[in-house]
Amino acid sequence: MTSRFDGYMGKVLDMDLSTGTIGEYPISDADRERFLGGRFLSTKIMWDELEPGIDPLSPDNILIIMTSPLTGTGAPSTSRYDISAKSPLTGAVGHSNSGGNFGIRLKRAGWDGMIIRGKAAAPVFIEVDEDRVSIRSAREIWGLDTQRSQAAMGKGGTLAIGPAGENQVKFATVVSQERSHGRTGMGAVMGSKNLKGIIARGKCKIPIRDKARFKKTVRKWTKMLQGHPATGVTAPRYGTAVFLTALSAGNALPTKNFSRGSYEDAGMISGQRLAEEYLVKNDGCVSCPIRCGRVVELDGKNIKGPEYEILCLMGSNLLINDLEAIIRWNYELDLLGIDTITVGNVLGFAAELDEKGMWDSGVRFGKKENISAILQDIAHRRGVGADLAEGVRFLSEKFGGQEFAAHVKGLEIAAYEPRASVGHGLGYATANRGACHLDGGYLIYLEVTGPVTLNPLHLRSKPGWVILDQNLLAAISAGGNCLFTSWTFVPKIAFSLARFSWVAKTITWLMTLSWPVVDALLKIPPVFMRFHVPLLPHAKAIKQATGMRMDFGRFSRVGERGYTLERLFNLREGIGRASDTLPKRFTDETLPGVGKKSVVPIKQMLPKYYKLRGWDMHGIPKVKTLKRLGLDFVNRNSAR
C-alpha cells in the first residue's frame, strides 16, 4: 500500500511469529494526516487490533515499531523512532522513543514500521532487507548482552534485548547501537515473543516533496540549533546533566528516595564534573547537531557516558556520590537491557523499605559495593532480583510503603522532584504512560531549570501550560524529532539575563500571570493558527517533506488528538481518574527546606486540566471533543 504523501515509504510490515506469516498492514493516508507517525500511529493500531484486558506478556499483545515522516530525512535530530505495545509494567499504553540507527535503516529497507504478533516457538531474530524479510534462529545469541547481540546479527540497523528482556523483567529495554528504548518495558514484550532482535538493511531513498525549500529549512534550522545557548553550548558541553546542580539548588533533585530535594554532594555527580574529569569526546544520534551524548573512559575502554537520570537516581537518590561507580553501572545496565530511571527508583524504594524495617533486600542508602551484583540478579530474576524485577508498584503492594512508592500508573517517577515544581507534578499525574517527564510536558524547564521561569508553586497557571507542553512535545515526537529541538522555543536573549535580576523576576511574573492567554490559545481552532513559528520549525519541515497541509495549528492539534487517543486506550483498560494522582509523599508531605506550600495539589488542578482538554469531571473525553478531534470512530462507552 502506497501513500500520496512523501516522507513515508508507504508500507508497514505485519508479521506473526506464531505462524511465520509475513504480510503488509494497511495504513490510510487519513490516519497518517491525523497521527503523523511514531507513538500516535502505533496507538491507533493498538486501538484497532488489541482486545481490552489482554496480558501484555502473552502472544495476544502486539509489538509495534514505527518511524515518522521526518525520520531519516536529514532534518535535525531525526533518527528517532518509536516502539509501542501494551505495557507489562503498567497495563497502560506503552511506548518508548529513541535514536540509534534502526529507524533510518528500516525506512531505507522500504518500510515505515513493523507490527509483530504472536510468539516464536524458539528464540529468533528478524532480518529485513529491501527484497526479503526473514525469521532467523537466535539460539546462538540468546543470553548475550545487547552489544554482542547486535554485533552477532551483522551489519545494518540493529536493535536487541539483553538478559533482562529475555527474562521478562518488567522494565527491560530495547537497545539500538548504544541508544535505549528505556521506559514501559518494551524489552520484556520482545522477550515474551522469543524475539531477540531485528536487523534492517537497504538503500531506498526517502522521498521529499519540496526538496529545495526543505533543504533551506534544514540548513537554517541546524544553524539555529548550533547557535542557541541551550542546544549549541550547554547541552554539547555538559550533556543532559547540565541541570543537576541547579535542580539541587532549586530543591528539585530527587534525594534519598524523593524524601528531599537537594543533595550536599550534587557537584560530585554533576555534568560539569563529568565533562571536566571523564569526558573523552561528544557523541550523538545520526543527523543530530546538538551532540549531547557523552563518551567516557572506563577500564581503558571508551564507552557511552551517563545521562542526567542515572546520575541522579543512582546517585543522590541512593545517597551515593561516586561518579565512577555510576559510570560503571550505566554501562552494565545498557548491556543487561534495564531502564536506568526505573531501576534507580526500585533501589531507592528498596533502601527505604530496609531503613524502615519493612524488607531486607540488601539495598542500603549509601551502600555501593553490591549494586553491580544486584543488577545482575534483577536481569536474571535471581534471589531478591525476582521481586525487584517487578517494579516499585509491585514491591509496595507486597511489602507496604505505598505512601512513598514513587510511581504513577505503575511507571516510576522520572528524575525531578515534583513538590518544587507543581506543574511538573501535574504532568506526571496526567501523563498517559505514567510518571514520565517528557509525556508529562517537561514543565520543570519552565519552572526551575530554564533561564526565565514560571512561579513553580502557582496553581491556576499550571493546567494550561502543562497541556500546551504535552501537546507540542507529543507532536514533535510523532513527527520524528528529538524533543531537545524544542529548547529553542525559549529565545536566546533569555539566557543572557541574570537569574535573580529584576528583569528576570519581572518576566517570571508576566509569564505566570499570562495563564489566561495560554488557556485561550488552547481553545483557538487550528484554522486561526495557519502560520509557522520560527523557533519551532517542525511543522514547516513536515509540510515541505510530505506535502501535507501542516502549520502550527494543525501540528498542535495532532498532539492533542494523539494524546486524547492514548487517554481513551487507558480508559478502555480501566485506567482513569483514580490513577491521575501522585503518592502521598508528594501530595501530603511538605518538601524539606521549601515550606507549607510545597505539596502538589493534584485535586485542585485536575478539574481545570480536564475542562481545558474537553474531558468531563471523570476525565473522559466528551462526545463533542471526540468529534472536534476526528476521533468520533471511538465509542465513548467503550472507554468508560
Side-chain angles (χ1 to χ4, degrees), residues 535-574:
L535 297 179
L536 291 174
H538 306 75
K540 178 188 284 188
I542 291 170
K543 177 182 179 180
Q544 294 167 345
T546 65
M548 280 183 188
R549 295 176 301 166
M550 187 58 63
D551 46 47
F552 181 75
R554 291 186 177 98
F555 190 63
S556 300
R557 182 57 56 86
V558 167
E560 182 184 7
R561 181 183 299 117
Y563 209 88
T564 301
L565 183 60
E566 290 177 342
R567 175 71 175 190
L568 292 162
F569 181 93
N570 284 354
L571 288 167
R572 194 170 69 172
E573 295 293 334

Side-chain angles (χ1 to χ4, degrees), residues 361-372:
S361 62
V363 183
R364 311 275 192 276
F365 288 120
K367 183 179 180 181
K368 60 185 180 182
E369 293 76 18
N370 62 343
I371 295 293
S372 289

Side-chain angles (χ1 to χ4, degrees), residues 420-439:
S421 176
V422 299
H424 198 77
L426 177 62
Y428 280 155
T430 55
N432 290 314
R433 71 174 179 176
C436 173
H437 56 305
L438 301 175
D439 278 22

Side-chain angles (χ1 to χ4, degrees), residues 196-336:
K196 179 63 174 175
I198 310 173
I199 182 168
R201 308 180 188 92
K203 296 181 179 179
C204 296
K205 292 185 178 181
I206 299 169
I208 303 295
R209 180 64 56 90
D210 190 339
K211 292 181 181 179
R213 286 189 173 90
F214 182 74
K215 287 182 179 179
K216 184 178 179 180
T217 295
V218 169
R219 286 195 298 267
K220 187 175 180 180
W221 194 355
T222 300
K223 185 176 180 180
M224 179 176 69
L225 288 166
Q226 292 174 332
H228 193 276
T231 52
V233 180
T234 57
R237 185 176 296 169
Y238 299 119
T240 58
V242 63
F243 300 126
L244 195 147
T245 52
L247 286 163
S248 182
N251 280 296
L253 185 73
T255 304
K256 198 181 181 185
N257 193 38
F258 289 85
S259 62
R260 59 180 194 259
S262 63
Y263 183 46
E264 58 273 15
D265 291 336
M268 296 181 69
I269 57 172
S270 67
Q272 287 80 354
R273 185 179 177 218
L274 183 71
E276 291 166 4
E277 299 183 24
Y278 293 90
L279 184 67
V280 174
K281 62 180 180 179
N282 284 20
D283 197 7
C285 300
V286 180
S287 83
C288 181
I290 301 174
R291 316 303 288 175
C292 68
R294 312 284 86 186
V295 175
V296 299
E297 184 177 330
L298 180 68
D299 300 333
K301 181 180 179 181
N302 287 355
I303 62 169
K304 187 186 88 171
E307 298 191 12
Y308 164 73
E309 284 78 11
I310 190 172
L311 289 169
C312 162
L313 292 171
M314 297 286 281
S316 59
N317 203 47
L318 299 180
L319 299 184
I320 292 173
N321 60 14
D322 188 335
L323 183 54
E324 186 168 317
I326 300 172
I327 290 171
R328 185 177 303 278
W329 299 331
N330 183 68
Y331 183 58
E332 292 170 349
L333 286 165
D334 279 353
L335 294 180
L336 293 169

Side-chain angles (χ1 to χ4, degrees), residues 293-589:
R294 312 284 86 186
V295 175
V296 299
E297 184 177 330
L298 180 68
D299 300 333
K301 181 180 179 181
N302 287 355
I303 62 169
K304 187 186 88 171
E307 298 191 12
Y308 164 73
E309 284 78 11
I310 190 172
L311 289 169
C312 162
L313 292 171
M314 297 286 281
S316 59
N317 203 47
L318 299 180
L319 299 184
I320 292 173
N321 60 14
D322 188 335
L323 183 54
E324 186 168 317
I326 300 172
I327 290 171
R328 185 177 303 278
W329 299 331
N330 183 68
Y331 183 58
E332 292 170 349
L333 286 165
D334 279 353
L335 294 180
L336 293 169
I338 296 176
D339 177 24
T340 56
I341 294 178
T342 285
V343 82
N345 274 276
V346 165
L347 297 179
F349 182 69
E352 186 160 354
L353 287 176
D354 175 83
E355 186 176 69
K356 289 179 163 56
M358 300 168 73
W359 182 42
D360 182 3
S361 62
V363 183
R364 311 275 192 276
F365 288 120
K367 183 179 180 181
K368 60 185 180 182
E369 293 76 18
N370 62 343
I371 295 293
S372 289
I374 289 172
L375 299 181
Q376 290 284 340
D377 288 343
I378 291 172
H380 294 91
R381 288 185 171 272
R382 296 187 300 235
V384 297
D387 281 334
L388 294 171
E390 294 291 316
V392 165
R393 179 168 64 181
F394 171 88
L395 293 174
S396 69
E397 291 170 350
K398 182 171 182 177
F399 299 107
Q402 286 92 338
E403 65 276 11
F404 57 86
H407 75 86
V408 174
K409 301 178 178 75
L411 185 69
E412 287 74 15
I413 288 180
Y416 305 90
E417 165 59 68
R419 286 172 291 181
S421 176
V422 299
H424 198 77
L426 177 62
Y428 280 155
T430 55
N432 290 314
R433 71 174 179 176
C436 173
H437 56 305
L438 301 175
D439 278 22
Y442 202 57
L443 210 66
I444 193 88
Y445 189 61
L446 295 180
E447 290 182 305
V448 178
T449 64
V452 291
T453 60
L454 297 165
N455 180 336
L457 303 181
H458 186 271
L459 303 187
R460 294 184 70 185
S461 62
K462 296 307 161 52
W465 277 104
V466 168
I467 292 169
L468 180 67
D469 273 17
Q470 287 176 337
N471 291 348
L472 285 176
L473 292 186
I476 289 170
S477 178
N481 289 98
C482 173
L483 296 184
F484 291 172
T485 58
S486 68
W487 284 357
T488 57
F489 188 65
V490 178
K492 289 196 295 184
I493 192 172
F495 291 81
S496 65
L497 299 176
R499 182 65 182 273
F500 299 105
S501 67
W502 70 268
V503 177
K505 290 179 179 179
T506 301
I507 293 173
T508 292
W509 179 76
L510 290 172
M511 285 179 61
T512 302
L513 295 183
S514 70
W515 63 264
V517 177
V518 176
D519 292 358
L521 182 65
L522 296 173
K523 299 176 183 179
I524 298 175
V527 69
F528 296 112
M529 293 189 288
R530 290 185 176 173
F531 51 80
H532 295 292
V533 177
L535 297 179
L536 291 174
H538 306 75
K540 178 188 284 188
I542 291 170
K543 177 182 179 180
Q544 294 167 345
T546 65
M548 280 183 188
R549 295 176 301 166
M550 187 58 63
D551 46 47
F552 181 75
R554 291 186 177 98
F555 190 63
S556 300
R557 182 57 56 86
V558 167
E560 182 184 7
R561 181 183 299 117
Y563 209 88
T564 301
L565 183 60
E566 290 177 342
R567 175 71 175 190
L568 292 162
F569 181 93
N570 284 354
L571 288 167
R572 194 170 69 172
E573 295 293 334
I575 302 167
R577 177 170 182 145
S579 299
D580 294 340
T581 189
L582 294 169
K584 288 185 177 179
R585 166 150 291 170
F586 306 113
T587 59
D588 292 22
E589 297 178 21

